[in-house]
Amino acid sequence: MFIGWDWATDTHDVTVMDAWGKRIDRWELAHTEEGFAKTLARLGKHGAPADLPVAIETTRGLAVDRLLAAGHPVVPVHPNAFHAMRPRWGASKAKTDAGDSMKLADYLRTDGHLLPRLKPTEQATMDLQALTRTRADHVEARVAAVNRLAALLDEHWPGGKVMFASLDSDIALAFLERYPTPGSAAKLTPGRLEAWCKRRGYSGRKSGGTLMEHMRSAPAAASRVSAQIVEQLIRIQVQLVRSIRMTIAALDKAIADAVASHPYAPLFATMPRIGTINLAKVIGEIGPILERAQSCEQLIAEAGVVPVTRASGKSRSVAFRFATNRRARLALTQFADNSRHGSDWAAKIYNDARARKKRHPHATRILARSWLRVMWACWRNGTCYDPAVHQANSKINMTADTPLMP
């Protein structure tokens, strides 16, 4: 039996087809707990879940999670690939929910052996992935909040912006909270400013006189907003930046705890300059690909660090891979770029690529490709990273692709 699942926001359409292309069953379900429960029970009447693969036009979401949890093999079909196949069912390319579920089931019946199947990812890996992705969102929000604070200072108090750039981040926020307007800082003297900074642990790179001189030399703002409103705006923005910093700190602690108990962490923790956060990103984003990859070359392709070659007749082109897991590529290339500062082996690969006139991003991807071969070897054999073993002659033994890690 083959199942086609056309998913949507409020309703889904399911078709069951046998091996000869005959429609056995078809129904529509609501996006509710009752709808999913009845659908899974109805599918169970057609056989064991493991024998009922489901084709669906997505790789994630509630429907995919429920199907995987029930034990159904899930075959994701890219919408573009499915659209290109529509002429086989009619020249008009007509589209209905019931028709799409039937077409998906038929596509699975005829071409399913060529399509990859999703496998449930390790729970610890999914937890780590969720934490690191949330942290990335909060870091992005912090950057936006800091930029907005800088824009407010530039518009209403350029001298405060100079202090914000001159002091350490925690002290700068405390300064703006204490002195949010030019009027509130009017009575400051170099001695009082230096003493205030020292009480808050300022590194002392600049003296109080130098800081005051920089602040006083900044141009005066021509803002027509009242001082009371400016004070309120800046203090609120400072509170926002501080609150986001607190959430990032809490996420950092949660990530550190999750990494410490993850089974993959010991394999990669000794890699040069990987760090706790970057290690968590690599495990969370590369880990799911490692678990489903059948070979190292598949791992490299899915991580997006190998170009796409297109050859037809006399034409041949090698282009950047746009269709890939962008989060995985970003986590990997961040680690690769850091690693070249702590490993002579990594630095040589990067420098050799630069010597061949490769741009920095391209050279980083070349280095990331080498690191993926190392990661695959560690994961396949269940051994921790060892420079003496995994960097011998800059080659990794790729003869056996059967992983030994669970």
Side-chain angles (χ1 to χ4, degrees), residues 315-339:
S315 65
R316 183 179 185 275
S317 65
V318 181
F320 179 76
R321 183 179 292 271
F322 288 95
T324 186
N325 187 327
R326 290 173 175 79
R327 292 180 183 269
R329 178 162 57 194
L330 179 60
L332 185 63
T333 52
Q334 284 177 343
F335 157 65
D337 192 30
N338 290 335
S339 70

mmCIF file with all atom_site columns, all heavy atoms in Angstrom, residues 315-339:
data_model
loop_
_atom_site.group_PDB
_atom_site.id
_atom_site.type_symbol
_atom_site.label_atom_id
_atom_site.label_alt_id
_atom_site.label_comp_id
_atom_site.label_asym_id
_atom_site.label_entity_id
_atom_site.label_seq_id
_atom_site.pdbx_PDB_ins_code
_atom_site.Cartn_x
_atom_site.Cartn_y
_atom_site.Cartn_z
_atom_site.occupancy
_atom_site.B_iso_or_equiv
_atom_site.pdbx_formal_charge
_atom_site.auth_seq_id
_atom_site.auth_comp_id
_atom_site.auth_asym_id
_atom_site.auth_atom_id
_atom_site.pdbx_PDB_model_num
ATOM 1   N N   . SER A 1 315 ? 28.718 21.654 -22.710 1.00 0.00 ? 315 SER A N   1
ATOM 2   C CA  . SER A 1 315 ? 28.657 22.644 -21.634 1.00 0.00 ? 315 SER A CA  1
ATOM 3   C C   . SER A 1 315 ? 28.900 21.985 -20.281 1.00 0.00 ? 315 SER A C   1
ATOM 4   O O   . SER A 1 315 ? 28.456 20.858 -20.034 1.00 0.00 ? 315 SER A O   1
ATOM 5   C CB  . SER A 1 315 ? 27.291 23.346 -21.626 1.00 0.00 ? 315 SER A CB  1
ATOM 6   O OG  . SER A 1 315 ? 26.275 22.432 -21.311 1.00 0.00 ? 315 SER A OG  1
ATOM 7   N N   . ARG A 1 316 ? 29.588 22.676 -19.436 1.00 0.00 ? 316 ARG A N   1
ATOM 8   C CA  . ARG A 1 316 ? 29.857 22.191 -18.082 1.00 0.00 ? 316 ARG A CA  1
ATOM 9   C C   . ARG A 1 316 ? 30.014 23.394 -17.157 1.00 0.00 ? 316 ARG A C   1
ATOM 10  O O   . ARG A 1 316 ? 30.739 24.338 -17.472 1.00 0.00 ? 316 ARG A O   1
ATOM 11  C CB  . ARG A 1 316 ? 31.120 21.341 -18.035 1.00 0.00 ? 316 ARG A CB  1
ATOM 12  C CG  . ARG A 1 316 ? 31.408 20.734 -16.658 1.00 0.00 ? 316 ARG A CG  1
ATOM 13  C CD  . ARG A 1 316 ? 32.659 19.876 -16.689 1.00 0.00 ? 316 ARG A CD  1
ATOM 14  N NE  . ARG A 1 316 ? 32.889 19.206 -15.425 1.00 0.00 ? 316 ARG A NE  1
ATOM 15  C CZ  . ARG A 1 316 ? 33.532 19.746 -14.382 1.00 0.00 ? 316 ARG A CZ  1
ATOM 16  N NH1 . ARG A 1 316 ? 33.999 20.993 -14.495 1.00 0.00 ? 316 ARG A NH1 1
ATOM 17  N NH2 . ARG A 1 316 ? 33.704 19.068 -13.280 1.00 0.00 ? 316 ARG A NH2 1
ATOM 18  N N   . SER A 1 317 ? 29.296 23.370 -16.038 1.00 0.00 ? 317 SER A N   1
ATOM 19  C CA  . SER A 1 317 ? 29.388 24.479 -15.086 1.00 0.00 ? 317 SER A CA  1
ATOM 20  C C   . SER A 1 317 ? 29.427 23.933 -13.670 1.00 0.00 ? 317 SER A C   1
ATOM 21  O O   . SER A 1 317 ? 28.840 22.885 -13.378 1.00 0.00 ? 317 SER A O   1
ATOM 22  C CB  . SER A 1 317 ? 28.196 25.433 -15.238 1.00 0.00 ? 317 SER A CB  1
ATOM 23  O OG  . SER A 1 317 ? 26.988 24.778 -14.882 1.00 0.00 ? 317 SER A OG  1
ATOM 24  N N   . VAL A 1 318 ? 30.145 24.623 -12.818 1.00 0.00 ? 318 VAL A N   1
ATOM 25  C CA  . VAL A 1 318 ? 30.229 24.290 -11.398 1.00 0.00 ? 318 VAL A CA  1
ATOM 26  C C   . VAL A 1 318 ? 29.747 25.517 -10.634 1.00 0.00 ? 318 VAL A C   1
ATOM 27  O O   . VAL A 1 318 ? 30.383 26.578 -10.703 1.00 0.00 ? 318 VAL A O   1
ATOM 28  C CB  . VAL A 1 318 ? 31.658 23.901 -10.986 1.00 0.00 ? 318 VAL A CB  1
ATOM 29  C CG1 . VAL A 1 318 ? 31.698 23.549 -9.506  1.00 0.00 ? 318 VAL A CG1 1
ATOM 30  C CG2 . VAL A 1 318 ? 32.162 22.728 -11.818 1.00 0.00 ? 318 VAL A CG2 1
ATOM 31  N N   . ALA A 1 319 ? 28.641 25.380 -9.920  1.00 0.00 ? 319 ALA A N   1
ATOM 32  C CA  . ALA A 1 319 ? 27.997 26.541 -9.297  1.00 0.00 ? 319 ALA A CA  1
ATOM 33  C C   . ALA A 1 319 ? 27.824 26.332 -7.800  1.00 0.00 ? 319 ALA A C   1
ATOM 34  O O   . ALA A 1 319 ? 27.873 25.201 -7.294  1.00 0.00 ? 319 ALA A O   1
ATOM 35  C CB  . ALA A 1 319 ? 26.638 26.799 -9.945  1.00 0.00 ? 319 ALA A CB  1
ATOM 36  N N   . PHE A 1 320 ? 27.623 27.432 -7.119  1.00 0.00 ? 320 PHE A N   1
ATOM 37  C CA  . PHE A 1 320 ? 27.360 27.415 -5.677  1.00 0.00 ? 320 PHE A CA  1
ATOM 38  C C   . PHE A 1 320 ? 26.070 26.652 -5.392  1.00 0.00 ? 320 PHE A C   1
ATOM 39  O O   . PHE A 1 320 ? 25.095 26.760 -6.124  1.00 0.00 ? 320 PHE A O   1
ATOM 40  C CB  . PHE A 1 320 ? 27.242 28.854 -5.180  1.00 0.00 ? 320 PHE A CB  1
ATOM 41  C CG  . PHE A 1 320 ? 26.941 28.985 -3.711  1.00 0.00 ? 320 PHE A CG  1
ATOM 42  C CD1 . PHE A 1 320 ? 27.918 28.772 -2.763  1.00 0.00 ? 320 PHE A CD1 1
ATOM 43  C CD2 . PHE A 1 320 ? 25.673 29.346 -3.284  1.00 0.00 ? 320 PHE A CD2 1
ATOM 44  C CE1 . PHE A 1 320 ? 27.638 28.909 -1.415  1.00 0.00 ? 320 PHE A CE1 1
ATOM 45  C CE2 . PHE A 1 320 ? 25.379 29.487 -1.945  1.00 0.00 ? 320 PHE A CE2 1
ATOM 46  C CZ  . PHE A 1 320 ? 26.380 29.266 -1.001  1.00 0.00 ? 320 PHE A CZ  1
ATOM 47  N N   . ARG A 1 321 ? 26.060 25.884 -4.306  1.00 0.00 ? 321 ARG A N   1
ATOM 48  C CA  . ARG A 1 321 ? 24.876 25.094 -3.952  1.00 0.00 ? 321 ARG A CA  1
ATOM 49  C C   . ARG A 1 321 ? 23.927 25.950 -3.114  1.00 0.00 ? 321 ARG A C   1
ATOM 50  O O   . ARG A 1 321 ? 24.178 26.229 -1.936  1.00 0.00 ? 321 ARG A O   1
ATOM 51  C CB  . ARG A 1 321 ? 25.296 23.842 -3.175  1.00 0.00 ? 321 ARG A CB  1
ATOM 52  C CG  . ARG A 1 321 ? 24.132 22.909 -2.821  1.00 0.00 ? 321 ARG A CG  1
ATOM 53  C CD  . ARG A 1 321 ? 24.636 21.690 -2.070  1.00 0.00 ? 321 ARG A CD  1
ATOM 54  N NE  . ARG A 1 321 ? 25.439 20.839 -2.910  1.00 0.00 ? 321 ARG A NE  1
ATOM 55  C CZ  . ARG A 1 321 ? 24.973 19.853 -3.670  1.00 0.00 ? 321 ARG A CZ  1
ATOM 56  N NH1 . ARG A 1 321 ? 23.673 19.603 -3.683  1.00 0.00 ? 321 ARG A NH1 1
ATOM 57  N NH2 . ARG A 1 321 ? 25.780 19.122 -4.400  1.00 0.00 ? 321 ARG A NH2 1
ATOM 58  N N   . PHE A 1 322 ? 22.833 26.370 -3.743  1.00 0.00 ? 322 PHE A N   1
ATOM 59  C CA  . PHE A 1 322 ? 21.837 27.177 -3.043  1.00 0.00 ? 322 PHE A CA  1
ATOM 60  C C   . PHE A 1 322 ? 20.834 26.298 -2.281  1.00 0.00 ? 322 PHE A C   1
ATOM 61  O O   . PHE A 1 322 ? 20.407 26.641 -1.192  1.00 0.00 ? 322 PHE A O   1
ATOM 62  C CB  . PHE A 1 322 ? 21.093 28.087 -4.029  1.00 0.00 ? 322 PHE A CB  1
ATOM 63  C CG  . PHE A 1 322 ? 21.922 29.224 -4.532  1.00 0.00 ? 322 PHE A CG  1
ATOM 64  C CD1 . PHE A 1 322 ? 22.614 29.134 -5.724  1.00 0.00 ? 322 PHE A CD1 1
ATOM 65  C CD2 . PHE A 1 322 ? 22.035 30.388 -3.803  1.00 0.00 ? 322 PHE A CD2 1
ATOM 66  C CE1 . PHE A 1 322 ? 23.384 30.181 -6.195  1.00 0.00 ? 322 PHE A CE1 1
ATOM 67  C CE2 . PHE A 1 322 ? 22.809 31.447 -4.251  1.00 0.00 ? 322 PHE A CE2 1
ATOM 68  C CZ  . PHE A 1 322 ? 23.487 31.342 -5.444  1.00 0.00 ? 322 PHE A CZ  1
ATOM 69  N N   . ALA A 1 323 ? 20.429 25.186 -2.886  1.00 0.00 ? 323 ALA A N   1
ATOM 70  C CA  . ALA A 1 323 ? 19.444 24.307 -2.259  1.00 0.00 ? 323 ALA A CA  1
ATOM 71  C C   . ALA A 1 323 ? 20.159 23.397 -1.267  1.00 0.00 ? 323 ALA A C   1
ATOM 72  O O   . ALA A 1 323 ? 20.739 22.376 -1.636  1.00 0.00 ? 323 ALA A O   1
ATOM 73  C CB  . ALA A 1 323 ? 18.729 23.472 -3.320  1.00 0.00 ? 323 ALA A CB  1
ATOM 74  N N   . THR A 1 324 ? 20.143 23.778 -0.010  1.00 0.00 ? 324 THR A N   1
ATOM 75  C CA  . THR A 1 324 ? 20.845 23.004 1.006   1.00 0.00 ? 324 THR A CA  1
ATOM 76  C C   . THR A 1 324 ? 20.301 23.381 2.377   1.00 0.00 ? 324 THR A C   1
ATOM 77  O O   . THR A 1 324 ? 19.451 24.262 2.507   1.00 0.00 ? 324 THR A O   1
ATOM 78  C CB  . THR A 1 324 ? 22.358 23.279 0.939   1.00 0.00 ? 324 THR A CB  1
ATOM 79  O OG1 . THR A 1 324 ? 23.036 22.408 1.847   1.00 0.00 ? 324 THR A OG1 1
ATOM 80  C CG2 . THR A 1 324 ? 22.664 24.710 1.325   1.00 0.00 ? 324 THR A CG2 1
ATOM 81  N N   . ASN A 1 325 ? 20.803 22.712 3.390   1.00 0.00 ? 325 ASN A N   1
ATOM 82  C CA  . ASN A 1 325 ? 20.462 23.049 4.771   1.00 0.00 ? 325 ASN A CA  1
ATOM 83  C C   . ASN A 1 325 ? 21.342 24.227 5.189   1.00 0.00 ? 325 ASN A C   1
ATOM 84  O O   . ASN A 1 325 ? 22.502 24.061 5.553   1.00 0.00 ? 325 ASN A O   1
ATOM 85  C CB  . ASN A 1 325 ? 20.703 21.832 5.681   1.00 0.00 ? 325 ASN A CB  1
ATOM 86  C CG  . ASN A 1 325 ? 20.218 22.066 7.098   1.00 0.00 ? 325 ASN A CG  1
ATOM 87  O OD1 . ASN A 1 325 ? 20.264 23.182 7.617   1.00 0.00 ? 325 ASN A OD1 1
ATOM 88  N ND2 . ASN A 1 325 ? 19.754 21.014 7.733   1.00 0.00 ? 325 ASN A ND2 1
ATOM 89  N N   . ARG A 1 326 ? 20.783 25.422 5.124   1.00 0.00 ? 326 ARG A N   1
ATOM 90  C CA  . ARG A 1 326 ? 21.592 26.624 5.354   1.00 0.00 ? 326 ARG A CA  1
ATOM 91  C C   . ARG A 1 326 ? 22.092 26.717 6.800   1.00 0.00 ? 326 ARG A C   1
ATOM 92  O O   . ARG A 1 326 ? 23.196 27.201 7.050   1.00 0.00 ? 326 ARG A O   1
ATOM 93  C CB  . ARG A 1 326 ? 20.781 27.867 4.986   1.00 0.00 ? 326 ARG A CB  1
ATOM 94  C CG  . ARG A 1 326 ? 20.542 28.006 3.488   1.00 0.00 ? 326 ARG A CG  1
ATOM 95  C CD  . ARG A 1 326 ? 19.592 29.138 3.164   1.00 0.00 ? 326 ARG A CD  1
ATOM 96  N NE  . ARG A 1 326 ? 19.454 29.338 1.738   1.00 0.00 ? 326 ARG A NE  1
ATOM 97  C CZ  . ARG A 1 326 ? 18.706 28.595 0.927   1.00 0.00 ? 326 ARG A CZ  1
ATOM 98  N NH1 . ARG A 1 326 ? 18.019 27.578 1.441   1.00 0.00 ? 326 ARG A NH1 1
ATOM 99  N NH2 . ARG A 1 326 ? 18.640 28.846 -0.363  1.00 0.00 ? 326 ARG A NH2 1
ATOM 100 N N   . ARG A 1 327 ? 21.280 26.311 7.756   1.00 0.00 ? 327 ARG A N   1
ATOM 101 C CA  . ARG A 1 327 ? 21.708 26.360 9.152   1.00 0.00 ? 327 ARG A CA  1
ATOM 102 C C   . ARG A 1 327 ? 22.895 25.429 9.386   1.00 0.00 ? 327 ARG A C   1
ATOM 103 O O   . ARG A 1 327 ? 23.827 25.765 10.118  1.00 0.00 ? 327 ARG A O   1
ATOM 104 C CB  . ARG A 1 327 ? 20.552 26.005 10.083  1.00 0.00 ? 327 ARG A CB  1
ATOM 105 C CG  . ARG A 1 327 ? 19.427 27.032 10.129  1.00 0.00 ? 327 ARG A CG  1
ATOM 106 C CD  . ARG A 1 327 ? 18.333 26.571 11.074  1.00 0.00 ? 327 ARG A CD  1
ATOM 107 N NE  . ARG A 1 327 ? 17.194 27.467 11.118  1.00 0.00 ? 327 ARG A NE  1
ATOM 108 C CZ  . ARG A 1 327 ? 17.042 28.477 11.966  1.00 0.00 ? 327 ARG A CZ  1
ATOM 109 N NH1 . ARG A 1 327 ? 18.013 28.730 12.834  1.00 0.00 ? 327 ARG A NH1 1
ATOM 110 N NH2 . ARG A 1 327 ? 15.967 29.229 11.949  1.00 0.00 ? 327 ARG A NH2 1
ATOM 111 N N   . ALA A 1 328 ? 22.844 24.248 8.770   1.00 0.00 ? 328 ALA A N   1
ATOM 112 C CA  . ALA A 1 328 ? 23.950 23.297 8.918   1.00 0.00 ? 328 ALA A CA  1
ATOM 113 C C   . ALA A 1 328 ? 25.219 23.865 8.297   1.00 0.00 ? 328 ALA A C   1
ATOM 114 O O   . ALA A 1 328 ? 26.309 23.765 8.879   1.00 0.00 ? 328 ALA A O   1
ATOM 115 C CB  . ALA A 1 328 ? 23.587 21.965 8.272   1.00 0.00 ? 328 ALA A CB  1
ATOM 116 N N   . ARG A 1 329 ? 25.106 24.458 7.116   1.00 0.00 ? 329 ARG A N   1
ATOM 117 C CA  . ARG A 1 329 ? 26.281 25.027 6.463   1.00 0.00 ? 329 ARG A CA  1
ATOM 118 C C   . ARG A 1 329 ? 26.863 26.168 7.294   1.00 0.00 ? 329 ARG A C   1
ATOM 119 O O   . ARG A 1 329 ? 28.083 26.288 7.430   1.00 0.00 ? 329 ARG A O   1
ATOM 120 C CB  . ARG A 1 329 ? 25.928 25.516 5.061   1.00 0.00 ? 329 ARG A CB  1
ATOM 121 C CG  . ARG A 1 329 ? 27.104 26.169 4.342   1.00 0.00 ? 329 ARG A CG  1
ATOM 122 C CD  . ARG A 1 329 ? 26.907 26.263 2.852   1.00 0.00 ? 329 ARG A CD  1
ATOM 123 N NE  . ARG A 1 329 ? 25.713 26.991 2.472   1.00 0.00 ? 329 ARG A NE  1
ATOM 124 C CZ  . ARG A 1 329 ? 25.190 26.974 1.254   1.00 0.00 ? 329 ARG A CZ  1
ATOM 125 N NH1 . ARG A 1 329 ? 25.766 26.254 0.299   1.00 0.00 ? 329 ARG A NH1 1
ATOM 126 N NH2 . ARG A 1 329 ? 24.103 27.666 0.974   1.00 0.00 ? 329 ARG A NH2 1
ATOM 127 N N   . LEU A 1 330 ? 26.007 27.007 7.857   1.00 0.00 ? 330 LEU A N   1
ATOM 128 C CA  . LEU A 1 330 ? 26.492 28.129 8.650   1.00 0.00 ? 330 LEU A CA  1
ATOM 129 C C   . LEU A 1 330 ? 27.218 27.638 9.895   1.00 0.00 ? 330 LEU A C   1
ATOM 130 O O   . LEU A 1 330 ? 28.311 28.133 10.226  1.00 0.00 ? 330 LEU A O   1
ATOM 131 C CB  . LEU A 1 330 ? 25.320 29.034 9.039   1.00 0.00 ? 330 LEU A CB  1
ATOM 132 C CG  . LEU A 1 330 ? 25.669 30.260 9.894   1.00 0.00 ? 330 LEU A CG  1
ATOM 133 C CD1 . LEU A 1 330 ? 26.644 31.162 9.155   1.00 0.00 ? 330 LEU A CD1 1
ATOM 134 C CD2 . LEU A 1 330 ? 24.405 31.023 10.264  1.00 0.00 ? 330 LEU A CD2 1
ATOM 135 N N   . ALA A 1 331 ? 26.637 26.669 10.616  1.00 0.00 ? 331 ALA A N   1
ATOM 136 C CA  . ALA A 1 331 ? 27.286 26.136 11.818  1.00 0.00 ? 331 ALA A CA  1
ATOM 137 C C   . ALA A 1 331 ? 28.637 25.516 11.479  1.00 0.00 ? 331 ALA A C   1
ATOM 138 O O   . ALA A 1 331 ? 29.625 25.694 12.202  1.00 0.00 ? 331 ALA A O   1
ATOM 139 C CB  . ALA A 1 331 ? 26.379 25.098 12.479  1.00 0.00 ? 331 ALA A CB  1
ATOM 140 N N   . LEU A 1 332 ? 28.688 24.801 10.369  1.00 0.00 ? 332 LEU A N   1
ATOM 141 C CA  . LEU A 1 332 ? 29.921 24.117 9.980   1.00 0.00 ? 332 LEU A CA  1
ATOM 142 C C   . LEU A 1 332 ? 30.999 25.101 9.545   1.00 0.00 ? 332 LEU A C   1
ATOM 143 O O   . LEU A 1 332 ? 32.166 24.982 9.935   1.00 0.00 ? 332 LEU A O   1
ATOM 144 C CB  . LEU A 1 332 ? 29.615 23.126 8.858   1.00 0.00 ? 332 LEU A CB  1
ATOM 145 C CG  . LEU A 1 332 ? 30.769 22.240 8.404   1.00 0.00 ? 332 LEU A CG  1
ATOM 146 C CD1 . LEU A 1 332 ? 31.227 21.338 9.525   1.00 0.00 ? 332 LEU A CD1 1
ATOM 147 C CD2 . LEU A 1 332 ? 30.350 21.421 7.195   1.00 0.00 ? 332 LEU A CD2 1
ATOM 148 N N   . THR A 1 333 ? 30.634 26.085 8.722   1.00 0.00 ? 333 THR A N   1
ATOM 149 C CA  . THR A 1 333 ? 31.634 27.029 8.232   1.00 0.00 ? 333 THR A CA  1
ATOM 150 C C   . THR A 1 333 ? 32.133 27.955 9.347   1.00 0.00 ? 333 THR A C   1
ATOM 151 O O   . THR A 1 333 ? 33.293 28.383 9.320   1.00 0.00 ? 333 THR A O   1
ATOM 152 C CB  . THR A 1 333 ? 31.073 27.860 7.074   1.00 0.00 ? 333 THR A CB  1
ATOM 153 O OG1 . THR A 1 333 ? 29.817 28.452 7.458   1.00 0.00 ? 333 THR A OG1 1
ATOM 154 C CG2 . THR A 1 333 ? 30.855 26.990 5.846   1.00 0.00 ? 333 THR A CG2 1
ATOM 155 N N   . GLN A 1 334 ? 31.281 28.259 10.337  1.00 0.00 ? 334 GLN A N   1
ATOM 156 C CA  . GLN A 1 334 ? 31.742 29.041 11.483  1.00 0.00 ? 334 GLN A CA  1
ATOM 157 C C   . GLN A 1 334 ? 32.824 28.284 12.242  1.00 0.00 ? 334 GLN A C   1
ATOM 158 O O   . GLN A 1 334 ? 33.856 28.855 12.608  1.00 0.00 ? 334 GLN A O   1
ATOM 159 C CB  . GLN A 1 334 ? 30.578 29.369 12.406  1.00 0.00 ? 334 GLN A CB  1
ATOM 160 C CG  . GLN A 1 334 ? 29.663 30.465 11.898  1.00 0.00 ? 334 GLN A CG  1
ATOM 161 C CD  . GLN A 1 334 ? 28.483 30.721 12.811  1.00 0.00 ? 334 GLN A CD  1
ATOM 162 O OE1 . GLN A 1 334 ? 28.148 29.895 13.677  1.00 0.00 ? 334 GLN A OE1 1
ATOM 163 N NE2 . GLN A 1 334 ? 27.823 31.854 12.635  1.00 0.00 ? 334 GLN A NE2 1
ATOM 164 N N   . PHE A 1 335 ? 32.586 26.988 12.465  1.00 0.00 ? 335 PHE A N   1
ATOM 165 C CA  . PHE A 1 335 ? 33.606 26.184 13.137  1.00 0.00 ? 335 PHE A CA  1
ATOM 166 C C   . PHE A 1 335 ? 34.865 26.074 12.295  1.00 0.00 ? 335 PHE A C   1
ATOM 167 O O   . PHE A 1 335 ? 35.982 26.211 12.791  1.00 0.00 ? 335 PHE A O   1
ATOM 168 C CB  . PHE A 1 335 ? 33.061 24.786 13.435  1.00 0.00 ? 335 PHE A CB  1
ATOM 169 C CG  . PHE A 1 335 ? 34.143 23.760 13.604  1.00 0.00 ? 335 PHE A CG  1
ATOM 170 C CD1 . PHE A 1 335 ? 35.048 23.837 14.649  1.00 0.00 ? 335 PHE A CD1 1
ATOM 171 C CD2 . PHE A 1 335 ? 34.272 22.718 12.692  1.00 0.00 ? 335 PHE A CD2 1
ATOM 172 C CE1 . PHE A 1 335 ? 36.067 22.905 14.775  1.00 0.00 ? 335 PHE A CE1 1
ATOM 173 C CE2 . PHE A 1 335 ? 35.273 21.780 12.812  1.00 0.00 ? 335 PHE A CE2 1
ATOM 174 C CZ  . PHE A 1 335 ? 36.181 21.876 13.864  1.00 0.00 ? 335 PHE A CZ  1
ATOM 175 N N   . ALA A 1 336 ? 34.708 25.829 10.990  1.00 0.00 ? 336 ALA A N   1
ATOM 176 C CA  . ALA A 1 336 ? 35.872 25.669 10.118  1.00 0.00 ? 336 ALA A CA  1
ATOM 177 C C   . ALA A 1 336 ? 36.724 26.933 10.109  1.00 0.00 ? 336 ALA A C   1
ATOM 178 O O   . ALA A 1 336 ? 37.958 26.864 10.153  1.00 0.00 ? 336 ALA A O   1
ATOM 179 C CB  . ALA A 1 336 ? 35.417 25.313 8.707   1.00 0.00 ? 336 ALA A CB  1
ATOM 180 N N   . ASP A 1 337 ? 36.075 28.098 10.057  1.00 0.00 ? 337 ASP A N   1
ATOM 181 C CA  . ASP A 1 337 ? 36.820 29.348 10.036  1.00 0.00 ? 337 ASP A CA  1
ATOM 182 C C   . ASP A 1 337 ? 37.587 29.545 11.337  1.00 0.00 ? 337 ASP A C   1
ATOM 183 O O   . ASP A 1 337 ? 38.725 30.047 11.340  1.00 0.00 ? 337 ASP A O   1
ATOM 184 C CB  . ASP A 1 337 ? 35.861 30.512 9.796   1.00 0.00 ? 337 ASP A CB  1
ATOM 185 C CG  . ASP A 1 337 ? 36.586 31.807 9.482   1.00 0.00 ? 337 ASP A CG  1
ATOM 186 O OD1 . ASP A 1 337 ? 37.689 31.747 8.902   1.00 0.00 ? 337 ASP A OD1 1
ATOM 187 O OD2 . ASP A 1 337 ? 36.062 32.879 9.821   1.00 0.00 ? 337 ASP A OD2 1
ATOM 188 N N   . ASN A 1 338 ? 36.983 29.150 12.473  1.00 0.00 ? 338 ASN A N   1
ATOM 189 C CA  . ASN A 1 338 ? 37.683 29.264 13.755  1.00 0.00 ? 338 ASN A CA  1
ATOM 190 C C   . ASN A 1 338 ? 38.827 28.255 13.853  1.00 0.00 ? 338 ASN A C   1
ATOM 191 O O   . ASN A 1 338 ? 39.878 28.551 14.426  1.00 0.00 ? 338 ASN A O   1
ATOM 192 C CB  . ASN A 1 338 ? 36.709 29.039 14.911  1.00 0.00 ? 338 ASN A CB  1
ATOM 193 C CG  . ASN A 1 338 ? 35.722 30.171 15.070  1.00 0.00 ? 338 ASN A CG  1
ATOM 194 O OD1 . ASN A 1 338 ? 35.991 31.304 14.680  1.00 0.00 ? 338 ASN A OD1 1
ATOM 195 N ND2 . ASN A 1 338 ? 34.563 29.879 15.640  1.00 0.00 ? 338 ASN A ND2 1
ATOM 196 N N   . SER A 1 339 ? 38.626 27.067 13.301  1.00 0.00 ? 339 SER A N   1
ATOM 197 C CA  . SER A 1 339 ? 39.601 25.981 13.486  1.00 0.00 ? 339 SER A CA  1
ATOM 198 C C   . SER A 1 339 ? 40.950 26.287 12.862  1.00 0.00 ? 339 SER A C   1
ATOM 199 O O   . SER A 1 339 ? 41.974 25.824 13.352  1.00 0.00 ? 339 SER A O   1
ATOM 200 C CB  . SER A 1 339 ? 39.047 24.682 12.896  1.00 0.00 ? 339 SER A CB  1
ATOM 201 O OG  . SER A 1 339 ? 39.010 24.743 11.470  1.00 0.00 ? 339 SER A OG  1
#
